[in-house]
Amino acid sequence: MNMGIEMRLKNPRRLVCGVAAQMATKFGWSCMWTRLAWMVSTLINPAITLLIYFALALVMDKWEA
C-alpha cells in the first residue's frame, strides 16, 4: 500500500467526514481499518451504507454526551 494513502487513512483529521474516525476512537479500533471497512461496504452496497453513515453522523454528538 502506498505510504501516503496509509497515512491519510490513519489520520482522523485528514478526511472530510469523521464518522469512521470517531467510531474507531469510541470503540478502540484502528482508524485505518474502520475506514477501509466503510469503503468496502460502500462499494458492495452504496445506498444502505451511505444511509447508515449519515445516520451515524447525526447521532455521533449524542454518543459523546
Side-chain angles (χ1 to χ4, degrees):
M1 181 179 277
N2 187 356
M3 193 60 141
I5 295 171
E6 186 175 344
M7 286 176 38
R8 184 177 174 107
L9 288 173
K10 286 181 180 179
N11 189 352
R13 296 187 180 137
R14 292 288 297 205
L15 298 178
V16 175
C17 191
V19 173
Q22 289 179 1
M23 280 183 64
T25 55
K26 173 145 180 80
F27 297 112
W29 301 334
S30 167
C31 189
M32 181 181 81
W33 291 112
T34 306
R35 284 186 173 146
L36 283 174
W38 275 108
M39 282 190 272
V40 168
S41 64
T42 302
L43 290 173
I44 292 171
N45 193 348
I48 298 297
T49 303
L50 291 175
L51 180 68
I52 293 169
Y53 197 81
F54 289 125
L56 285 174
L58 293 174
V59 295
M60 275 296 178
D61 294 334
K62 295 176 183 166
W63 277 7
E64 293 175 0

